[in-house]
């Protein structure tokens, strides 16, 4: 008896042999070919996994057919071939729905994995293609179009894996978003978000932490969801902090200018006082226009100018928080590494860096030294504005 596992290697040769013998025997070629093709079809839909008993029985019956022909039992051979074909069909019919179902499950798993990597946004084309093919596979399965469902599931799985790989390749988009939100939170903290918007500030930080852990775990969907919450709250915390800080600084500036106007010393410095009043008006206008950073800067300028006019060096925080620790907060100009110069307005000619350098260094050509010390404020060295307080570096002796 020839072993079943060698069937695929010998069956074709056996059939040819019986074709040659058919001049003397009525060999059931059609039945045997049908059985062989049926077994091949069953194997294609993984009957060895889903219907192993039926598949093995089909193979054994086909081998019995060969043995019966060898013994010239034509009728028995024909019957065995027919039984083999029927068993192969049973194996096929049993396996196909199970194969289609499992293939759909595999595709759905790949699709879910792509979703976890936020492929819906990072690989939208591949993700939508996988979604459409997966829906088609499920519809075909419901309509008992099992082979079509199987093929659609294979294509859906391929598209889902492509979407996953594409999304994974864009993982750093999440990292960049995390970095950006952290910068916003740093700025918000600088402007007092912990005081003015503690709930939003803390919620943003919590979601940044979730986003970082999700990034490490490659759960990009969760990560992007968390960073969106973090960004929204960080932005709101920053705006709230800026708005309140601007209001506080404006109040401090108004107080500083009001105090300066009562000072006899300030009365002798009309240029500085006019510049202080102008900066104060700029602060008010900027605040009403929701230009909070510009308002804060203008309020600080007004405070500095008022302090120069009165001969004191009062910081904005000192005015806002009261006079406690005033002596410790004041900084004497002679102890600084630079002089302070307030840009003034003149009718006949505009103030400029060349003039400032000429005044302090007796050499206008040294204006670049002042420009470099004030790069945070001066964008164009040809343009400086009344009210600005410039640092003029001292020459080391």
């Amino acid at each position: 008896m020839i072993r079943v596992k060698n069937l695929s290697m010998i069956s074709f040769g056996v059939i040819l042999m019986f074709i040659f013998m058919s001049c003397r025997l009525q060999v059931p070629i059609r039945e045997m070919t049908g059985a062989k093709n049926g077994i091949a079809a069953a194997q294609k839909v993984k009957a060895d996994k889903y219907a192993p008993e039926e598949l093995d029985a089909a193979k054994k019956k086909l081998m019995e057919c060969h043995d019966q022909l060898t013994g010239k039992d034509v009728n028995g051979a024909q019957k065995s071939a027919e039984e083999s074909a029927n068993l192969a069909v049973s194996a096929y019919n049993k396996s196909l729905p199970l194969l289609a179902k499992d293939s759909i499950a595999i595709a759905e798993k790949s699709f879910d994995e792509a979703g976890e990597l936020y492929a819906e946004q990072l690989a939208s084309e591949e993700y939508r293609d996988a979604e459409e093919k997966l829906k088609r596979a499920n519809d075909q399965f419901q309509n008992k179009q099992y082979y079509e469902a199987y093929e659609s599931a294979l294509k859906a799985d391929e598209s889902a894996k492509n979407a996953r790989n594409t999304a994974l390749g864009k993982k750093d988009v999440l990292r960049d978003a995390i970095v950006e939100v952290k910068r916003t939170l740093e700025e918000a903290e600088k402007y007092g978000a912990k005081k003015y918007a503690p709930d939003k500030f803390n919620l943003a930080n919590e979601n940044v932490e979730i986003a970082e852990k999700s990034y490490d775990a490659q759960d990009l969907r969760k990560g992007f969801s968390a960073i969106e919450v973090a960004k929204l709250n960080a932005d709101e915390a920053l705006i709230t902090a800026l708005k309140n800080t601007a209001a506080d600084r404006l109040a401090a500036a108004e107080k500083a200018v009001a105090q300066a106007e009562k000072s006899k010393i300030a009365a002798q410095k009309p240029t500085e006082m006019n510049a202080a009043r102008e900066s104060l008006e700029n602060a008010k206008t900027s605040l009403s226009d929701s230009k909070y950073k510009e308002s804060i800067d203008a309020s600080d300028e007004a405070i500095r100018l008022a302090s120069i006019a009165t001969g004191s060096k009062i910081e904005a925080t000192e005015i806002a928080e009261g006079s406690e620790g005033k002596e410790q907060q004041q900084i004497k100009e002679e102890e600084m590494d630079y002089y302070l110069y307030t840009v003034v307005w003149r009718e006949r000619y505009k103030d400029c860096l060349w003039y400032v350098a000429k005044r302090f260094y007796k050499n206008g050509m040294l204006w670049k030294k002042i420009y470099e010390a004030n790069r945070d404020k001066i964008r164009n060295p040809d343009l400086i504005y009344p009210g600005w307080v410039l640092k003029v570096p001292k020459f080391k002796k």
Side-chain angles (χ1 to χ4, degrees), residues 1 14 18 21 25 28 32 60-83:
M1 178 68 70
V14 172
F18 283 117
M21 294 170 57
L25 294 173
M32 294 175 68
K60 289 177 181 178
K61 279 296 178 184
L62 186 55
M63 292 307 303
E64 286 179 12
C65 171
H66 295 161
D67 293 339
Q68 287 164 338
L69 283 176
T70 301
K72 299 181 181 181
D73 183 2
V74 176
N75 291 332
Q78 182 174 344
K79 183 179 179 181
S80 294
E82 290 173 348
E83 290 178 1

Side-chain angles (χ1 to χ4, degrees), residues 313-332:
K313 299 295 178 291
I314 305 174
E315 298 295 330
T317 52
E318 178 188 345
I319 297 294
E321 297 172 4
S323 59
E324 185 178 355
K326 180 176 179 180
E327 293 181 359
Q328 288 77 12
Q329 292 183 28
Q330 291 181 345
I331 302 174
K332 296 181 180 180

Side-chain angles (χ1 to χ4, degrees), residues 79-90:
K79 183 179 179 181
S80 294
E82 290 173 348
E83 290 178 1
S84 175
N86 291 332
L87 287 167
V89 170
S90 296

Side-chain angles (χ1 to χ4, degrees), residues 200-217:
K200 293 186 182 297
F201 183 79
N202 292 334
L203 184 59
N205 274 296
E206 289 171 5
N207 277 276
V208 165
E209 185 176 350
I210 292 172
E212 289 181 320
K213 290 180 179 179
S214 299
Y215 174 87
D216 293 337

Side-chain angles (χ1 to χ4, degrees), residues 267-323:
Q268 299 174 6
K269 297 181 179 180
T271 301
E272 286 78 0
M273 283 304 302
N274 287 335
R277 295 186 190 98
E278 183 178 350
S279 291
L280 184 59
E281 288 304 314
N282 289 338
K284 292 178 181 178
T285 301
S286 295
L287 181 59
S288 64
D289 292 340
S290 299
K291 297 178 180 179
Y292 303 123
K293 290 183 180 180
E294 290 85 343
S295 178
I296 292 169
D297 290 342
S299 292
D300 287 347
E301 288 296 328
I303 293 170
R304 291 190 188 98
L305 289 165
S307 68
I308 291 173
T310 57
S312 62
K313 299 295 178 291
I314 305 174
E315 298 295 330
T317 52
E318 178 188 345
I319 297 294
E321 297 172 4
S323 59

